[in-house]
Amino acid sequence: MNEQISSRRRELLKAGATVGAAVCTAPLMAGAVAAQPATATLSGCDAMDLPVLSGGRILGSGDFRMEVSALGFGVMGMNYNRGPHPDRKAMISLLHQAVDRGVTLFDTAQVYGPLINEALAGEALHQFRNRVSVTTKFGHRIVNGKYFEGQLDSTPANIRRVAEESLKRLRLETIELFYQHRLDPAVPIEDVAGTVRDLIREGKVRRFGLCEVNSQTIRRAHAVQPVTAVQSEYHLMWREQEKEVFPVIQELGIGFVPYSPLNRGFLGGGITEYTRFDTGNDNRNTLPRFTPEAIRANLAVVEVLSTFGRTRGATSAQVALAWMMAKAPWIVPIPGTTKLAHLDENLRAARLMLNPAEVLELESAVSRIRIVGGRYPAVQQMQVQH
Ligand SMILES: NC(=O)c1ccc[n+]([C@@H]2O[C@H](COP(=O)([O-])OP(=O)(O)OC[C@H]3O[C@@H](n4cnc5c(N)ncnc54)[C@H](OP(=O)(O)O)[C@@H]3O)[C@@H](O)[C@H]2O)c1
């Protein structure tokens, strides 16, 4: 296995000589993550130096801790909710390139597709099962491959069914981290946690996670089965989690995985009021924060990030990711992409170390901007606890 990987690395380094200039969208530093400088910078750009992640992070604690790369990879957009499906082979190859660059945390869910996103992750990543973790989620009502929009199902029988089926699609013997995707008001969280605890005892699942929950739910679940990570939306335009969720997860030793860390690409700066999202396969069409009016107003946030990054050799996306990584060592963002240039750009954010004054500077600049548009339409908003 290691030989296979080093030979892939060698191929990549060779390829880097020809594509490096295009890939190098931001300057980068070689080697391990540097000690924290007084002011953040990204310096030096060597076409041969791929942004290989070094130094990981830990989600959770005790028997249920999980060592992962400093940034993960959200697989969802490779065939769901982020526009037309790119070529499957190209996506598999991109996932391999992420592995080559040291990413060890990949995120998918039963509902993405539904089912096809897990199948893609399984096909691409099962061969690396000893060194990467693919995390997945249960909790939506999906019957015979059909998703019933807005309907939830976290009954113990369904959790067990999803675990069995996800294992097959992912081509794994155990799910490293199994999240409840959305709280099901019809099933007490203790029953959900108890079911996952039983699956852990049976060896089908290794760890438990929750998405978009409040502090009471976290405490109740954690009392039954220790939670390794909470996965919720978090970025400079949505910091609600800091108020009551962060203190509790810090107290209980739980990790945090920000999803949509670039606010679904918005913080990357390529989206304008004229951007049109695919009507068949892009949920940004339905999100209040992605109407032309909201985009026009909220671009002020991207401007803050770009201005901050300009003097530090960093892009707005890198500043967005570096900001959240500077907030706490137990935060591991999972940006998604279909492009190698963006993957490399995002991974290089791990080398942009912001000091506390810079973190505050960004937060105070963004707090002066009135964010326009809610994050979810009504039905989806009812399923999140904030
Ligand atoms: N638990 C939950 O409820 C939940 C909900 C949503 C998402 N998630 C997870 O979070 C992951 C990421 O979320 P997401 O895809 O919604 O949002 P995201 O990571 O914030 O943004 C992804 C979008 O940003 C673009 N992008 C990536 N890097 C970029 C860069 N450097 N510059 C400019 N644009 C860039 C991508 O387009 P390109 O392809 O063009 O790069 C893609 O359209 C998902 O894959 C999924 O695993 C979880």
Side-chain angles (χ1 to χ4, degrees):
M1 170 77 71
N2 281 343
E3 252 174 43
Q4 214 183 351
I5 290 162
S6 350
S7 100
R8 281 190 53 73
R9 271 222 168 98
R10 276 195 299 276
E11 278 167 32
L12 254 157
L13 284 167
K14 253 194 264 158
T18 48
V19 301
V23 164
C24 195
T25 52
L28 55 108
M29 300 193 309
V33 171
Q36 184 168 304
T39 297
T41 47
L42 277 167
S43 58
C45 183
D46 174 352
M48 293 295 284
D49 182 16
L50 295 169
V52 176
L53 288 175
S54 58
R57 292 197 164 201
I58 292 170
L59 297 170
S61 44
D63 288 348
F64 300 99
R65 79 207 281 273
M66 185 172 183
E67 287 184 35
V68 294
S69 48
L71 282 119
F73 189 115
V75 180
M76 178 189 80
M78 292 184 136
N79 58 14
Y80 182 64
N81 258 353
R82 291 287 165 268
H85 297 197
D87 175 69
R88 186 182 179 83
K89 274 199 187 136
M91 293 305 94
I92 289 173
S93 160
L94 184 57
L95 288 167
H96 290 177
Q97 284 164 312
V99 175
D100 285 328
R101 284 153 170 75
V103 177
T104 67
L105 176 68
F106 293 84
D107 188 76
T108 181
Q110 181 208 27
V111 76
Y112 300 160
L115 316 184
I116 56 169
N117 198 255
E118 281 187 336
L120 174 71
E123 182 177 345
L125 298 168
H126 75 280
Q127 60 184 302
F128 304 112
R129 69 183 67 197
N130 295 330
R131 63 192 296 255
V132 311
S133 299
V134 181
T135 65
T136 194
K137 316 182 191 83
F138 61 85
H140 291 282
R141 181 155 180 257
I142 295 165
V143 180
N144 297 327
K146 187 172 166 7
Y147 169 43
F148 292 83
E149 183 76 39
Q151 295 187 33
L152 299 169
D153 189 348
S154 275
T155 52
N158 193 50
I159 297 173
R160 288 190 156 275
R161 190 178 318 121
V162 177
E164 295 293 348
E165 292 174 3
S166 294
L167 280 170
K168 286 200 190 105
R169 279 187 293 276
L170 295 172
R171 307 191 196 179
L172 297 173
E173 284 82 47
T174 184
I175 298 169
E176 291 294 333
L177 174 56
F178 204 27
Y179 292 98
Q180 184 188 38
H181 209 154
R182 287 292 180 270
L183 192 72
D184 183 345
V187 184
I189 194 65
E190 287 79 4
D191 293 356
V192 173
T195 306
V196 177
R197 180 197 55 208
D198 293 346
L199 286 166
I200 290 172
R201 286 181 182 154
E202 291 161 30
K204 305 236 160 94
V205 169
R206 230 182 290 274
R207 302 172 192 86
F208 179 36
L210 297 165
C211 298
E212 290 287 359
V213 282
N214 64 24
S215 55
Q216 290 86 1
T217 304
I218 295 169
R219 282 191 192 284
R220 285 170 55 194
H222 193 77
V224 178
Q225 166 56 45
V227 174
T228 293
V230 169
Q231 182 181 128
S232 297
E233 180 168 350
Y234 182 61
H235 45 72
L236 269 161
M237 292 170 66
W238 181 254
R239 293 173 52 205
E240 197 62 26
Q241 312 297 336
E242 290 175 12
K243 292 183 190 153
E244 54 150 282
V245 169
F246 279 14
V248 170
I249 60 179
Q250 194 161 16
E251 176 197 325
L252 300 177
I254 297 171
F256 187 72
V257 176
Y259 77 68
S260 302
L262 299 175
N263 187 15
R264 305 160 179 87
F266 183 75
L267 297 176
I271 293 173
T272 72
E273 62 188 288
Y274 304 107
T275 303
R276 293 293 167 264
F277 302 106
D278 185 70
T279 45
N281 184 39
D282 198 325
N283 72 339
R284 288 173 293 193
N285 253 325
T286 65
L287 305 179
R289 238 167 236 177
F290 283 86
T291 62
E293 300 69 35
I295 289 173
R296 197 181 317 130
N298 296 336
L299 275 173
V301 178
V302 180
E303 189 49 38
V304 166
L305 301 188
S306 302
T307 305
F308 181 94
R310 209 165 285 137
T311 51
R312 294 162 172 89
T315 65
S316 59
Q318 289 173 326
V319 173
L321 295 170
W323 165 78
M324 64 180 68
M325 293 174 75
K327 294 286 284 181
W330 36 263
I331 293 182
V332 182
I334 48 167
T337 183
T338 55
K339 299 185 178 70
L340 180 59
H342 282 165
L343 171 67
D344 283 347
E345 180 182 338
N346 297 342
L347 296 185
R348 285 186 179 107
R351 291 156 184 201
L352 176 65
M353 310 262 182
L354 305 190
N355 64 38
E358 291 173 312
V359 167
L360 272 181
E361 180 188 331
L362 280 168
E363 292 175 358
S364 79
V366 173
S367 69
R368 288 194 285 274
I369 299 164
R370 193 176 69 85
I371 306 297
V372 174
R375 61 185 186 122
Y376 279 122
V379 173
Q380 288 169 51
Q381 184 58 43
M382 275 164 27
Q383 296 181 345
V384 294
Q385 290 197 299
H386 289 103

